Amino acid sequence: MNERILISGASIAGLTLAHWLARHGFRPTVVERDPAPRAGGNGVDIRDDAVTVMERMGLMSRARELAADVHGMKFVDAADRAVARIDTRDAGSVEIMRGDLVALLREAAGDAEFLFGDSIRALEQDDDGVTVSFEHAPARRFDLVIGADGMHSNVRRLAFGPEDGFIRHKDHYFAFADADAALGEDRWVTMFNTPGKMAGIYRSGNHAQAKAYFVFRSARLDYDHRDVAEHKRLVGEAFADQPWAPARGLLDAALADPGFYFDALAQVHMDSWSNGRVALAGDAAWCASPASGAGAELALVGAYRLAGELAAAGGDHRVAFARYDAAHRPLVDRKQQIGPNVRLMVPKTDGGRCVRDTLVRLPLLKTAEAVERRLRARTARPLPNYHRAA
Ligand SMILES: Cc1cc2nc3c(=O)[nH]c(=O)nc-3n(C[C@H](O)[C@H](O)[C@H](O)COP(=O)(O)OP(=O)(O)OC[C@H]3O[C@@H](n4cnc5c(N)ncnc54)[C@H](O)[C@@H]3O)c2cc1C
């Protein structure tokens, strides 16, 4: 029942889902707009249940070998002197470059069929399945369709409506791009602030290349989310006049990088992640924003649960989609509470920056994190080991 499953998006959620669906005996097909999985981005965290998912996929030891081994965040003044540091190392989690994680997941999803360089044009549901037309490939029938195609999900637009109804803007924009490693300190994320802006450099312990990182505060901007030249213009204008010497080199490298990644810092909120035979996973369903530090964790755990619930329900999508929503939503709700994370990285004023620098010198943040972790460990329920119903 419901064996042919189309997934839109070959990133963290889509590839994890493809792996688990194939393992549970379904026949997944993945359609990805780009000619190959997109490799860009900074380090992402694999923690808690996401570690269990990666272990069950047989990928965790390789993820540990590839770990970015970043020690923490360092805030600098205009003369490039460190004014405060936060040690973010956490024995329970592994930080890995997003591109490395995507490559591991792509390998693990080898049993799926892939359609690269294509996108869904239209979806028509009926009682028995979904007729899908593509931009390039001929139309096909599938039993179910899953949108794992990111914050600006095409599947969500086609099956649930325009994105304005679901996206909550968080007053900032961010960009990631390649940068010269010589501009930053090894194994630290170096950040420089002016009011409402942050220019930074992310240096993993295991990569020759570093990543430039920019965030700026802004009311909602009107631009095409697929127009990279326009994204570069916005970031170029926002960071043209930084008094921090490395900022110029970071900006030049970023603007020259064809893999430049830019988006609004925003969240996706939906009352339900399914509509008939169509469901969503990952940022398409619940984007918590990079400020949550939980995008990869939510995508890995959510995709694992969605495939598992489909298997446990013998492919019955009505039962499975409802159980998936109920099981995964509490974690999403918790991770969407991003609290002061953005203010910490991008203070609005010089006064706010001074307060931030003082606060991060105190051991408060570590203590609060440790208390939260202990509370969570006490209430956590083990991640189910799903089996296919006969
Ligand atoms: C290039 C890139 C770099 C990123 N860098 C970071 C980072 O440094 N830090 C961070 O916290 N988060 C980053 N993110 C977001 C992060 O990957 C997600 O928050 C999270 O991991 C959830 O992943 P996802 O699979 O749901 O969505 P995403 O990772 O956003 O992937 C969505 C996928 O869907 C594909 N897609 C989009 N539209 C279509 C369509 N019409 N048809 C078919 N496929 C489509 C995209 O090409 C992409 O492969 C990045 C995302 C991308 C795409």
Side-chain angles (χ1 to χ4, degrees):
M1 188 193 197
N2 288 338
E3 300 231 306
R4 297 164 306 168
I5 303 180
L6 177 66
I7 301 163
S8 174
S11 180
I12 299 170
L15 294 169
T16 306
L17 189 59
H19 167 94
W20 284 103
L21 286 175
R23 226 163 118 172
H24 290 308
F26 296 95
R27 286 190 286 142
T29 297
V30 183
V31 56
E32 163 62 50
R33 190 182 58 193
D34 272 51
R38 296 189 62 183
N42 284 359
V44 294
D45 289 319
I46 303 171
R47 69 165 84 75
D48 300 332
D49 281 348
V51 173
T52 309
V53 172
M54 289 283 286
E55 275 166 354
R56 291 181 187 170
M57 293 173 83
L59 299 176
M60 202 54 211
S61 59
R62 285 172 70 200
R64 288 187 204 283
E65 281 162 26
L66 292 165
D69 195 24
V70 164
H71 294 178
M73 292 186 275
K74 176 180 89 163
F75 300 103
V76 296
D77 62 15
D80 205 27
R81 285 180 304 235
V83 289
R85 288 180 191 258
I86 311 179
D87 188 330
T88 53
R89 278 171 289 186
D90 171 0
S93 88
V94 170
E95 187 168 350
I96 175 173
M97 297 310 282
R98 181 186 167 281
D100 288 341
L101 176 59
V102 167
L104 287 181
L105 295 172
R106 168 69 182 90
E107 238 180 274
D111 290 336
E113 176 195 15
F114 281 87
L115 305 174
F116 283 110
D118 210 343
S119 173
I120 299 172
R121 180 138 42 99
L123 298 169
E124 257 180 66
Q125 295 197 50
D126 54 50
D127 288 349
D128 301 322
V130 190
T131 301
V132 179
S133 48
F134 295 95
E135 297 290 342
H136 303 294
R140 275 166 70 175
R141 287 281 287 174
F142 290 91
D143 299 313
L144 304 173
V145 176
I146 313 293
D149 41 8
M151 186 166 77
H152 302 288
S153 170
N154 183 40
V155 170
R156 191 183 59 226
R157 180 178 59 79
L158 293 170
F160 297 81
E163 68 177 41
D164 275 358
F166 306 107
I167 291 187
R168 291 191 200 160
H169 196 256
K170 296 286 175 189
D171 301 324
H172 291 77
Y173 289 84
F174 67 94
F176 305 120
D178 285 346
D180 178 357
L183 293 170
E185 183 181 338
D186 191 23
R187 288 163 216 268
W188 285 87
V189 186
T190 304
M191 297 185 178
F192 172 73
N193 293 105
T194 48
K197 293 180 190 176
M198 187 278 285
I201 177 158
Y202 180 109
R203 272 204 65 190
S204 146
N206 295 322
H207 297 78
Q209 186 82 57
K211 297 283 173 185
Y213 188 3
F214 299 96
V215 186
F216 64 96
R217 189 177 170 82
S218 165
R220 205 162 171 164
L221 298 168
D222 192 18
Y223 67 97
D224 174 353
H225 72 84
R226 295 189 54 191
D227 184 345
V228 179
E230 199 177 352
H231 304 164
K232 288 184 175 178
R233 183 184 60 74
L234 290 169
V235 174
E237 281 174 13
F239 290 91
D241 57 352
Q242 293 292 293
W244 179 50
R248 189 70 248 169
L250 283 180
L251 188 62
D252 288 345
L255 299 183
D257 179 6
F260 183 91
Y261 180 74
F262 173 85
D263 212 332
L265 203 138
Q267 292 189 330
V268 172
H269 289 260
M270 302 184 77
D271 294 335
S272 169
W273 298 325
S274 62
N275 179 4
R277 293 178 168 273
V278 181
L280 303 172
D283 278 10
W286 56 67
C287 179
S289 87
S292 72
E297 174 189 353
L298 289 173
L300 285 160
V301 177
Y304 171 84
R305 284 192 184 274
L306 174 53
E309 294 296 351
L310 277 165
D316 182 335
H317 62 283
R318 288 180 204 86
V319 173
F321 290 168
R323 286 185 184 158
Y324 153 63
D325 201 311
H328 193 51
R329 199 170 280 274
L331 182 64
V332 168
D333 288 346
R334 186 147 55 77
K335 298 295 179 177
Q336 285 188 328
Q337 309 294 318
I338 53 178
N341 294 7
V342 189
R343 287 281 188 84
L344 198 74
M345 269 199 324
V346 194
K348 262 203 274 190
T349 60
D350 282 327
R353 180 176 46 77
C354 292
V355 172
R356 186 273 317 273
D357 291 347
T358 307
L359 281 178
V360 301
R361 283 188 211 112
L362 305 171
L364 280 175
L365 296 172
K366 274 274 166 205
T367 313
E369 238 174 70
V371 169
E372 204 219 326
R373 187 169 279 283
R374 269 205 297 279
L375 281 175
R376 265 206 331 265
R378 247 184 251 157
T379 53
R381 283 205 236 132
L383 194 65
N385 238 322
Y386 292 102
H387 297 287
R388 187 163 185 151

